Amino acid sequence: MAKNPRKDLFPDTASMLLKNVYGAFPKPIMNIASTGMRLMMKIKKASSDDRNVLYQSSEPHRIYGETMFPAPSKKTKMAVLAGVSLGLAYMLFTNRSSNKDLL
């Protein structure tokens, strides 16, 4: 199957059955799945701490490497601010001059 992929080819009858049932009844299937997830989360009774979303992970689990874009420097921030300010000033100036033409 990986060498000769075909569209909508399912490896077994269970997945074909699930696909057809979902195609016929998408809303009830989504509601049942979300209810099941909520029920499993309630049963698990996980702690309500912040996890690692707000804090760095411990040493072996940290993400290494650089981000795709470097952090902007102060000069870059000032250039962007100046560009936005000039753009807004130009828009206000052209808007006022076009309003005078209409009156």
Side-chain angles (χ1 to χ4, degrees):
M1 193 154 90
K3 288 184 179 181
N4 302 313
R6 288 186 283 173
K7 189 175 183 176
D8 295 328
L9 181 67
F10 290 93
D12 61 353
T13 55
S15 58
M16 189 170 73
L17 178 70
L18 288 171
K19 176 195 165 282
N20 290 331
V21 169
Y22 179 77
F25 309 104
K27 284 280 188 183
I29 297 297
M30 282 190 277
N31 290 338
I32 289 169
S34 63
T35 302
M37 283 298 291
R38 274 186 256 126
L39 181 66
M40 294 306 289
M41 289 169 67
K42 192 180 284 187
I43 289 172
K44 187 179 176 186
K45 294 183 181 177
S47 63
S48 61
D49 61 349
D50 292 334
R51 302 285 173 181
N52 65 350
V53 176
L54 301 176
Y55 307 106
Q56 282 188 346
S57 298
S58 60
E59 185 57 42
H61 305 292
R62 287 191 185 159
I63 298 173
Y64 299 102
E66 297 293 323
T67 60
M68 188 166 49
F69 299 109
S73 66
K74 187 174 182 180
K75 288 182 182 180
T76 306
K77 290 178 186 177
M78 292 301 290
V80 169
L81 183 63
V84 169
S85 300
L86 287 172
L88 286 174
Y90 177 74
M91 286 173 49
L92 287 173
F93 179 72
T94 56
N95 190 19
R96 286 187 183 173
S97 63
S98 64
N99 283 342
K100 288 180 184 176
D101 293 340
L102 292 175
L103 296 176

